[in-house]
Structure formats: structure tokens, C-alpha cells
């Protein structure tokens, strides 16, 4: 079981460039999430999905887009990178119907926009 | 009302001491309160969680204390060890709200030998 796999681990983007952060999970979790982590700010929810074909905005969705065509994959798209998007991005998944569920997080993607 | 306020921002404890991190919330609909532990360069990992039907939950050296009337919960780490040095996040969610976790701002714990 690999859990939640994120790629790439590090990336430097120039302002205005686009990229896709990849996220895959092999636990058959129906819920998936994207968070960004900034120093002293905790984790802020960007987008989430409760199943294939269903996505919704979180607390800080501006500048991002997501898709969920299958249970396993939940990519995050940055269309026009801005310095404010410099952050560490975490993908997570969960299966809330279990009694003591928790989020399984990936190891993160550190993105710098210059 | 969706916020979870966490304190302190950083904590330095000597080996063998007790580490205490506090969180407060406003939304009375929250019914699940987990704590996550994050080591540098890693994603957060679930440490321990509590639901409001109990006032305390203990797992090894880690204890959650929950005060429903005060809308506060805290993490106690007994006999703190250097290996406990990490960032700790409290969180809260409501069962009906697609289980979206609202995270606190984190506490960086350093345990010195």
C-alpha cells in the first residue's frame, strides 16, 4: 500500500506559468482534499471531492482548479502562477464511514513561484 | 465561526516534562476533534482523536482533554521525548459537512534532552 502519492516533491515556477500537481491514492478512499500550508497559518482547504465526478471549493480556491475522473486521482491545476501561490501543497484522502477515520496525507509538494 | 484557535504557536519543553497544547472553537456543530503530528518534510499524520461524548481519551503518552461547555480541547504529552519534536495541529469537523477538517494554525514543539 503506497497510501497517498504526490508528485513532484519540489517545483519552481515563473510567474504566469501553469502546472498540475498530481495526487494518487490506492486505498479506495472516496473523499480527497487539497490543502496548502503556509508558515504560521496552518492548513487551508483549497478544493475537495466526495467521489469521482464531484468536486467543490474549499476556503481558498481562487487561482486553482481540480478534476476527479476516477476514485484514485485528484490533480490540482494552477493556471497562471502567482507569487502568492508559493506554498507547500498537501493532498489527503479519507473514508469517513469507518469508525475512527482520519485523513491520510501525502508527503507534499513544495512550490516556489518567482 | 469555522475557526479553530490554537495556542501556543511554539513550545519548548525539557525531556520528561509535560507538553500542553490548547485549542478552542466556536461552532457547536463540530463533533470530531483530531490531533495531527507533522515531522519536517512530511505530511501530517493522525495522532489521536476524540468525539464529544467523552471528556478524555488516552493513547500511551498522549491524552486529549475535552471541555464541551467551554468549547475547548487540549493535547497533553506526558514524559515528552526529543522524538516528539514536531508540529502539532488540532482540527475539528462536523459529520454532516462532508467531514472537511478545519485546522488550527499549528504548534511547533521542541523537546530538549
Amino acid at each position: 500500500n503506497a497510501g497517498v502519492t504526490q508528485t513532484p516533491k519540489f517545483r519552481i515556477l515563473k510567474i504566469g506559468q501553469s502546472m498540475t500537481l498530481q495526487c494518487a491514492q490506492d486505498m479506495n478512499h472516496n473523499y480527497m482534499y487539497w490543502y496548502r500550508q503556509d508558515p504560521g497559518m496552518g492548513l487551508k482547504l483549497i478544493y475537495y471531492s466526495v467521489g469521482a465526478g464531484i468536486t467543490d471549493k474549499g476556503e481558498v480556491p481562487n487561482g486553482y482548479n481540480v478534476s476527479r475522473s476516477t476514485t484514485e486521482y485528484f490533480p490540482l491545476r494552477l493556471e497562471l502562477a502567482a507569487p502568492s501561490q508559493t506554498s507547500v501543497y498537501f493532498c489527503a484522502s479519507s473514508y469517513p464511514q469507518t469508525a475512527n477515520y482520519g485523513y491520510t496525507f501525502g508527503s507534499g509538494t513544495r512550490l516556489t513561484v518567482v | 465561526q469555522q475557526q479553530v484557535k490554537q495556542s501556543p504557536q511554539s513550545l519548548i519543553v525539557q525531556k520528561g516534562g509535560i507538553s500542553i497544547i490548547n485549542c478552542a472553537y466556536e461552532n457547536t456543530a463540530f463533533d470530531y476533534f483530531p490531533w495531527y503530528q507533522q515531522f519536517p518534510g512530511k505530511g501530517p499524520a493522525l495522532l489521536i482523536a476524540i468525539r464529544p461524548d467523552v471528556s478524555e481519551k488516552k493513547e500511551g503518552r498522549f491524552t486529549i482533554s475535552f471541555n464541551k461547555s467551554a468549547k475547548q480541547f487540549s493535547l497533553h504529552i506526558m514524559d515528552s521525548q526529543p522524538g516528539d519534536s514536531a508540529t502539532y495541529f488540532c482540527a475539528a469537523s462536523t459529520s454532516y459537512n462532508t467531514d472537511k477538517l478545519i485546522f488550527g494554525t499549528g504548534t511547533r514543539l521542541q523537546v530538549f534532552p
Side-chain angles (χ1 to χ4, degrees):
Chain A
N1 253 0
V4 176
T5 302
Q6 288 185 242
T7 56
K9 292 191 182 302
F10 304 94
R11 183 74 184 267
I12 299 175
L13 275 183
K14 292 184 179 178
I15 294 172
Q17 285 185 321
S18 302
M19 77 164 294
T20 299
L21 282 67
Q22 301 292 347
C23 176
Q25 54 96 3
D26 62 357
M27 298 169 287
N28 203 31
H29 285 173
N30 49 345
Y31 287 24
M32 295 187 75
Y33 314 84
W34 274 105
Y35 284 87
R36 61 177 286 172
Q37 183 177 23
D38 300 302
M41 300 296 290
L43 293 131
K44 300 291 186 184
L45 181 64
I46 306 171
Y47 270 95
Y48 66 98
S49 168
V50 300
I54 306 169
T55 62
D56 208 347
K57 296 177 181 178
E59 187 180 358
V60 290
N62 291 343
Y64 308 94
N65 272 303
V66 294
S67 60
R68 183 106 181 265
S69 56
T70 66
T71 300
E72 295 80 11
Y73 300 101
F74 190 40
L76 177 71
R77 178 83 177 161
L78 282 71
E79 289 295 346
L80 290 169
S84 61
Q85 293 177 305
T86 294
S87 187
V88 181
Y89 292 85
F90 287 99
C91 178
S93 70
S94 73
Y95 192 67
Q97 287 81 354
T98 56
N100 292 302
Y101 73 88
Y103 284 19
T104 300
F105 281 86
S107 56
T109 294
R110 182 174 294 274
L111 175 67
T112 302
V113 181
V114 297
Chain B
Q1 198 181 20
Q2 283 291 93
Q3 279 188 326
V4 177
K5 294 182 180 179
Q6 183 172 348
S7 63
Q9 190 171 12
S10 63
L11 183 61
I12 300 174
V13 172
Q14 226 171 0
K15 179 181 175 182
I18 302 174
S19 303
I20 301 174
I21 304 170
N22 301 299
C23 285
Y25 63 97
E26 289 295 323
N27 187 352
T28 55
F30 286 148
D31 60 1
Y32 175 67
F33 303 90
W35 285 88
Y36 281 78
Q37 180 187 55
Q38 183 183 29
F39 293 107
K42 303 291 185 183
L46 180 64
L47 182 63
I48 186 173
I50 197 168
R51 292 195 180 271
D53 52 344
V54 296
S55 60
E56 186 175 280
K57 183 173 181 180
K58 185 176 180 179
E59 289 185 2
R61 296 184 293 107
F62 299 90
T63 300
I64 298 179
S65 297
F66 184 76
N67 186 329
K68 190 174 181 178
S69 60
K71 292 183 285 187
Q72 294 176 347
F73 59 109
S74 59
L75 176 69
H76 295 237
I77 305 174
M78 311 301 287
D79 186 26
S80 298
Q81 299 296 312
D84 297 330
S85 298
T87 299
Y88 293 82
F89 292 95
C90 63
S93 70
T94 58
S95 298
Y96 66 83
N97 192 20
T98 64
D99 303 293
K100 290 182 294 182
L101 282 175
I102 307 299
F103 284 89
T105 50
T107 296
R108 186 183 175 202
L109 171 66
Q110 295 174 276
V111 181
F112 286 96

